[in-house]
Amino acid sequence: RIDAVVPLAAIPSPRQLSESETLAQNTLVSYLVLSEAARRGVARIVVASSLAAVGIAWADRDLSPLYLPVDEEHPILAVDSYGLSKVFTEQIAAFVTRRWSVPTVCLRLPFVGDGARLANRLEEIHANTADNRRELWGWIDTRDVASAVVAALTTDLTGHHVINIVAPDTVAYEPTEKLITVHYPSAERRGPLAEHASLYDTTRSRELLGFEARYGWREA
């Protein structure tokens, strides 16, 4: 018996292949792996989705979220094939749950890194904070992603779930309110945001998985 499947292998970002190949490979691989795992009686499937599913990160134009912080119910704005492939992957997971009653959890991830990878990313962003605006300055430490996967595998749940897995702060030095004022003034603000609070809502990850990120970059 296979206890669980955590598919992580796919095209990890756009522009590595053509738009059609990116969409075809990510979508077909997701369907083949998830459906076959379900057919074989797997007990749980945890999928690495992406916040690119919202559609802002890799768009060919500047888009604004309708409201902030962005939660899992935010309307899809995708105009790029990579973001669309993540939307389709989440829908495939929902299909697998409906068809085979296998619990599926799609973790929407931002930039993931630690050590030198994270340090290089921070250096780039701090040189020009605006360059990271389409990703809403979101990030998560690699070790926290591993913990989130474990939580998604072991928490007692049924059904299909899409969950933001994001650090509680941004990668920017500037206060969150300033980032919103400068870059997303038209977005509705749903509640106050602390000094460097993330622009992604992580309520669901805390309430459903009991997950909270432990690793930060500011102290380092």
Side-chain angles (χ1 to χ4, degrees):
R1 177 182 172 83
I2 302 172
D3 293 319
V5 170
V6 185
L8 299 175
I11 308 303
S13 62
R15 307 188 185 110
Q16 298 190 30
L17 301 173
S18 69
E19 288 201 16
S20 59
E21 289 176 299
T22 298
L23 180 63
Q25 289 200 30
N26 279 357
T27 304
L28 181 58
V29 166
S30 294
Y31 177 77
L32 292 174
V33 172
L34 271 61
S35 61
E36 188 61 24
R39 290 179 199 277
R40 292 174 177 267
V42 69
R44 179 78 55 94
I45 300 174
V46 178
V47 181
S49 184
S50 170
L51 289 163
V54 177
I56 298 172
W58 297 104
D60 60 357
R61 68 206 74 169
D62 279 330
L63 299 174
S64 175
L66 304 186
Y67 56 81
L68 293 167
V70 172
D71 61 16
E72 295 86 352
E73 302 303 321
H74 191 284
I76 299 300
L77 307 176
V79 292
D80 66 286
S81 71
Y82 178 76
L84 186 60
S85 76
K86 293 301 180 179
V87 175
F88 286 168
T89 293
E90 292 176 359
Q91 287 299 307
I92 290 167
F95 160 80
V96 165
T97 294
R98 288 193 302 271
R99 184 167 180 179
W100 289 283
S101 300
V102 178
T104 56
V105 182
C106 294
L107 305 180
R108 282 187 176 174
L109 304 173
F111 167 85
V112 178
D114 63 356
R117 173 175 163 81
L118 176 58
N120 291 337
R121 178 75 160 187
L122 292 171
E123 184 177 0
E124 292 173 0
I125 292 170
H126 296 160
N128 190 344
T129 305
D131 283 352
N132 199 237
R133 65 191 181 281
R134 293 185 181 179
E135 296 180 55
L136 304 185
W137 304 278
W139 80 287
I140 187 77
D141 190 284
T142 308
R143 293 163 291 183
D144 281 323
V145 173
S147 296
V149 170
V150 172
L153 288 171
T154 57
T155 300
D156 184 18
L157 53 78
T158 60
H160 167 70
H161 306 276
V162 175
I163 304 176
N164 291 342
I165 299 296
V166 191
D169 65 344
T170 69
V171 286
Y173 281 132
E174 293 85 344
T176 296
E177 289 291 342
K178 179 180 179 181
L179 295 175
I180 297 173
T181 299
V182 172
H183 299 283
Y184 297 112
S186 65
E188 174 192 347
R189 302 193 193 189
R190 295 191 171 179
L193 291 166
E195 185 177 11
H196 295 105
S198 172
L199 291 173
Y200 293 101
D201 189 299
T202 57
T203 301
R204 188 176 293 182
S205 68
R206 293 193 301 273
E207 293 183 349
L208 191 62
L209 301 182
F211 169 79
E212 292 190 68
R214 295 176 53 201
Y215 296 95
W217 65 269
R218 296 179 191 276
E219 297 81 4

